[in-house]
Amino acid sequence: MSSRHPGIELPARATLVRAVTVGLAVFVALWVLVGIRWAPLLSLDGRAVAGAHGITVDHPWLMTVSRVVTDLGSPVTVDIVAAVLAIVALAARRITAAVVIVVARLGELGTVAVVKLAADRPRPAFAHPVATANGYSFPSGHSAGSAALYGVLLLLAVPLLARGPRVAVVVIGVVFILAVATSRVLLGVHYPSDAVAGLAIGGAWAACAAGAPIWWARAGVGRRPMG
């Protein structure tokens, strides 16, 4: 059952709370394990990224696809999409939807920036890398940004769609988000745990931003329609 709010329709509050809780739990758990340099995780990460990098090197078509997908989930692309959609929502007088989109992106972006510095994890290193990236490795900014933006768009759009289109949109959206995260590992610029942590915190911010109007309404904040 969906929760109504002036201007938009959202999934049930309980569903969003569970999504935020699970996302944060996964993210924090991985952050702790990376921080204490837990050997089983580091070993699994190392073997997985080395294997993925080797597969990419052996299959040029996969390298090309990975680069295209990773560009579609890049911070620049995500920022442009978020800005355009927020402006369109404002023009359509859907102020709540615009705020939700901006909060999801900025919240995720700020969290990732702080955690990258705190975790201080070097990126995977290869003698002959197929791609390079700047900054620290944990968590994956591409994964987090895609999960936050496209995740919140799914949460906003799905309740408005009929069952058939809803399933198709969810499948396409989820596959794309996972493809962005996978591309970062295939290109050898992130460990799998970086990508999973990015998906977790991005998804948590998407659910948090989408649920904010519900929680505001329940708390009596902003009685006037926002959009």
Side-chain angles (χ1 to χ4, degrees), residues 80-205:
I80 292 173
V81 173
V84 169
L85 291 178
I87 292 171
V88 170
L90 287 174
R93 300 178 64 82
R94 302 294 183 179
I95 300 176
T96 300
V99 171
V100 166
I101 291 170
V102 172
V103 167
R105 174 53 176 162
L106 292 184
E108 165 272 319
L109 193 62
T111 303
V112 168
V114 171
V115 174
K116 275 184 178 290
L117 292 175
D120 190 24
R121 187 186 199 184
R123 291 183 183 270
F126 296 96
H128 303 288
V130 299
T132 58
N134 298 320
Y136 296 113
S137 191
F138 184 92
S140 165
H142 283 63
S143 303
S146 296
L149 176 61
Y150 301 115
V152 82
L153 293 180
L154 286 177
L155 290 173
L156 292 175
V158 163
L160 305 177
L161 302 174
R163 183 175 179 80
R166 179 186 305 170
V167 172
V169 168
V170 169
V171 169
I172 293 172
V174 170
V175 168
F176 174 73
I177 293 170
L178 293 177
V180 172
T182 302
S183 73
R184 304 305 286 163
V185 180
L186 289 172
L187 292 174
V189 293
H190 278 293
Y191 295 103
S193 60
D194 301 333
V196 174
L199 292 174
I201 193 61
W205 267 108

